[in-house]
Amino acid sequence: MKVLVTGGAGYIGSHTLVALLAAGHEVCVFDNFSNSSPVALARVRQLTNRDIRLVEADICNGDALMQATTEFRPDAVIHFAGLKAVGESSENPLLYYANNVAGSVNLLAAMDAAECHRIIFSSSATVYGRAQYLPFDEQHPVHPTNPYGRTKAIVEELIRDWAAAHPTASAVLLRYFNPVGAHDSGLIGEDPRDIPNNLMPFVAQVAVGRRTSLAIFGDDYNTRDGTGERDYIHVVDLANAHLAALDYSEKGPCCEVVNVGTGRGITVKELVAAYERACGRNIPAQIAPRRPGDVASSYAATAKAERLLGWRAALDIDAMCTSSWRWQSNNIEGYGDASAG
Ligand code: NAD
Ligand code: UDP
């Protein structure tokens, strides 16, 4: 299948490219490298020994998207491109609406022009907001609590309306929980540009000596050990979920929202302990105040993914930490100043 991958140079996109190419798909990446490096694509080429077409452009540029779809004529699109920093989305909401919402409108229009009506979209568990019950199943009300989450919820609605207008359309809206870890080769992984907002990349940078210690945001939550609990999902499992979603979308018209998680919550302290086992080092940490807006627990109901996509997570927290450590210790500054080759 010919698959256009927006945001394919990013963290989840690069791992999904490896899975797509291994499965024999032909890919074209559309990315402006606003939060990624061309080195990631060079590493994917190295890993797969396959060529990757690249269109270096912005999804805010409708003409560039239109040209990409009409030239490549994809059978399907996987839409990762977007901005994802919650704090930044509150400071600059228009940037988020322009990239995530208007960019997605441009993409769907460009797909229409190329008569491609199949899309897999990167949504997020953040659309659920505060839990009314756990685990989060796909029927849980959607109440995002920040502009980033609202852009994801809006794009879900946008895609639903677009799919309803096309009798042959297939859309799978994947709500990711907390993607972590890296490809086992240690060649590709998560490489945040600034101070990491998320727990695992922060821990990885402490482990490798780029930061002195971890602040644990609150130890007085109603969880096993008082620290926040999340559903961490190995990025390689997540990449495979995209392949399963692509297969499902081939079966016939659909528009489905599907959680992608393990169904299991891990606390901050449990994650730190697992990382210490993986790297064989002590991770200095101290308790800090709660982070505003944080919830105590979040984890997925996974039955729909299993039933619809025949997919379920296979890799555990130790595999997540070991692979993260391999990536971080082999690439202390991430893609840093490595050459794109
Ligand atoms: P990432 O930032 O590593 O990857 C996003 C890619 O999109 C980058 O390569 C970036 O350069 C590109 N991009 C951003 N804006 C663009 C634009 N306007 N035009 C063209 N390219 C653009 O992020 P990721 O972690 O790989 O996330 C991928 C998707 O999954 C995002 O849509 C994100 O919101 C969503 N998601 C991520 C997480 C997570 O924790 N990583 C959780 C839930 C959902
Ligand atoms: N967390 C932490 N210190 C950090 C970053 C995160 O204690 O430097 C905690 C955070 O409070 C939450 C968990 O780790 O309980 C996961 O946070 P992350 O930002 O990775 O995911 P999200 O909260 O967006 O699901």
Side-chain angles (χ1 to χ4, degrees):
M1 201 187 294
K2 290 171 82 174
V3 188
L4 180 73
V5 186
T6 75
Y11 171 46
I12 303 168
S14 55
H15 289 80
T16 304
L17 289 180
V18 173
L20 286 167
L21 292 166
H25 297 294
E26 189 184 338
V27 301
C28 173
V29 169
F30 189 103
D31 201 305
N32 66 355
F33 298 117
S34 59
N35 197 39
S36 55
S37 161
V39 178
L41 294 183
R43 297 272 175 93
V44 173
R45 287 189 190 100
Q46 183 185 339
L47 268 171
T48 59
N49 209 13
R50 291 274 308 277
D51 197 27
I52 301 168
R53 275 194 200 214
L54 168 68
V55 177
E56 184 175 346
D58 195 312
I59 56 170
C60 296
N61 178 347
D63 291 341
L65 266 174
M66 200 69 84
Q67 193 179 341
T69 56
T70 49
E71 279 177 16
F72 182 59
R73 309 244 30 128
D75 301 301
V77 172
I78 305 184
H79 181 29
F80 294 107
L83 303 178
K84 62 169 184 177
V86 170
E88 184 187 50
S89 79
S90 295
E91 284 152 25
N92 196 349
L94 298 188
L95 181 69
Y96 275 66
Y97 282 88
N99 272 270
N100 296 4
V101 179
S104 299
V105 173
N106 290 339
L107 175 63
L108 295 172
M111 289 171 65
D112 280 348
E115 287 165 26
C116 172
H117 294 128
R118 196 182 312 169
I119 187 166
I120 315 296
F121 172 60
S122 302
S123 188
S124 168
T126 196
V127 298
Y128 293 122
R130 211 154 279 280
Q132 295 180 12
Y133 57 85
L134 284 171
F136 283 115
D137 60 26
E138 290 82 354
Q139 276 81 50
H140 188 285
V142 164
H143 281 306
T145 57
N146 54 67
Y148 165 67
R150 279 189 280 278
T151 65
K152 290 292 177 190
I154 290 169
V155 175
E156 286 191 4
E157 291 297 336
L158 168 67
I159 293 174
R160 272 190 203 100
D161 286 339
W162 170 84
H166 294 286
T168 59
S170 302
V172 185
L173 316 173
L174 296 176
R175 289 180 180 157
Y176 311 157
F177 277 69
N178 291 60
V180 296
H183 190 267
D184 255 344
S185 62
L187 283 174
I188 55 172
E190 185 169 14
D191 183 21
R193 291 220 158 155
D194 303 312
I195 300 171
N197 294 310
N198 297 113
L199 179 62
M200 175 84 84
F202 199 103
V203 169
Q205 291 191 7
V206 174
V208 87
R210 276 174 68 177
R211 304 196 180 274
T212 48
S213 85
L214 170 73
I216 297 178
F217 298 145
D219 67 347
D220 56 353
Y221 286 107
N222 184 20
T223 59
R224 284 185 291 285
D225 57 24
T227 64
E229 185 185 29
R230 297 289 184 275
D231 187 341
Y232 297 97
I233 167 89
H234 197 303
V235 67
V236 170
D237 273 335
L238 177 55
N240 289 329
H242 290 81
L243 289 198
L246 263 189
D247 286 347
Y248 176 77
S249 73
E250 235 184 331
K251 290 182 183 164
C254 62
C255 186
E256 295 285 351
V257 48
V258 183
N259 284 340
V260 188
T262 64
R264 172 150 192 256
I266 301 281
T267 68
V268 176
K269 284 187 175 169
E270 288 167 347
L271 185 145
V272 171
Y275 215 99
E276 287 180 329
R277 286 196 296 278
C279 69
R281 297 179 179 188
N282 177 46
I283 312 275
Q286 77 284 334
I287 306 301
R290 288 183 178 194
R291 185 170 63 179
D294 265 2
V295 296
S297 295
S298 167
Y299 48 94
T302 57
K304 188 170 179 186
E306 289 190 29
R307 180 167 48 78
L308 225 61
L309 310 183
W311 171 91
R312 88 161 107 140
L315 298 165
D316 65 9
I317 188 69
D318 289 319
M320 300 179 212
C321 293
T322 307
S323 59
S324 162
W325 174 241
R326 188 170 301 130
W327 151 253
Q328 192 69 74
S329 53
N330 288 344
N331 304 271
I332 293 175
E333 298 296 331
Y335 293 112
D337 52 7
S339 147

